[in-house]
Amino acid sequence: MPVQGLGRGFWLGAATALSVLGAIAAYAATPDEVIAERRAGYKHMGEVFKAMKAGVESGADVAQFATGAGDIVAWATKIPTMFPPGTETGGGTHALPAVWSDRPGFDKLAGQLRTEAGKLQTVAATGDKAAFVAQFKATGAVCGECHRTYRAKL
Ligand code: HEC
């Protein structure tokens, strides 16, 4: 895979470019648009996760979930840019004030999600079901941890 030949510098550069793009997109949009976009991003992640859970329970081939795990990696990278000032309320948001009062903690969990979802993507591609289930749980734990502190009950 040529992708694996790309150095750490490339990926750091790509990640930085992505966050900058995300920040520009966030600030060019109205607060309601940003909130709608972030809710849609989370909703998609929820659907990906639900499909994975159903697949695990039915013993499906887990290789098909590599793409969905990649979506979670991409979204996790974007999360820190999706909570600009002015989007604390409105638009049906469930984000708690802690997102803004404890941004380092929030961003850290977004980074952890990216790490765990990256491992999930790798393990899915191997088709190893037991390893996938274990990593699926590790990834889900980060979702739960962030929601406990930073998201109101849906
Ligand atoms: C870094 C913190 C964080 C992580 C990690 C995180 N979430 Fe969330 N999630 C939030 C916040 C904050 C909201 C509320 C966003 C809003 O309403 O503006 C949310 C909202 C949601 C929603 C509701 C979207 C809607 O319809 O409004 C779903 C579903 C969801 N998350 C699923 C997940 C799943 C699945 C994962 C793990 C794969 C995950 N989240 C990981 C913070 C997080």
Side-chain angles (χ1 to χ4, degrees):
M1 291 273 283
V3 169
Q4 286 169 343
L6 294 167
R8 185 177 155 77
F10 171 86
W11 289 112
L12 285 177
T16 307
L18 265 180
S19 352
V20 170
L21 280 176
I24 290 168
Y27 285 108
T30 67
D32 274 2
E33 282 166 353
V34 175
I35 291 169
E37 194 189 337
R38 82 182 174 217
R39 290 189 60 194
Y42 278 116
K43 201 166 169 217
H44 174 64
M45 211 159 57
E47 281 157 7
V48 165
F49 234 59
K50 225 188 241 170
M52 286 176 177
K53 187 166 181 281
V56 162
E57 283 166 2
S58 69
D61 178 4
V62 298
Q64 65 183 304
F65 298 128
T67 309
D71 285 0
I72 298 178
V73 173
W75 175 247
T77 306
K78 219 180 154 190
I79 286 176
T81 70
M82 292 308 295
F83 294 83
T87 64
E88 294 89 341
T89 55
T93 186
H94 290 84
L96 289 175
V99 172
W100 290 271
S101 64
D102 176 23
R103 183 52 69 95
F106 182 77
D107 287 353
K108 189 167 165 231
L109 283 167
Q112 275 177 20
L113 179 63
R114 191 176 55 179
T115 303
E116 297 301 337
K119 288 187 199 162
L120 189 64
Q121 186 178 18
T122 306
V123 107
T126 68
D128 181 336
K129 281 180 197 170
F132 182 84
V133 171
Q135 189 52 35
F136 178 72
K137 284 183 186 155
T139 309
V142 185
C143 314
E145 195 181 337
C146 193
H147 293 160
R148 259 195 306 282
T149 311
Y150 299 100
R151 190 188 77 179
K153 280 217 179 316
L154 294 179

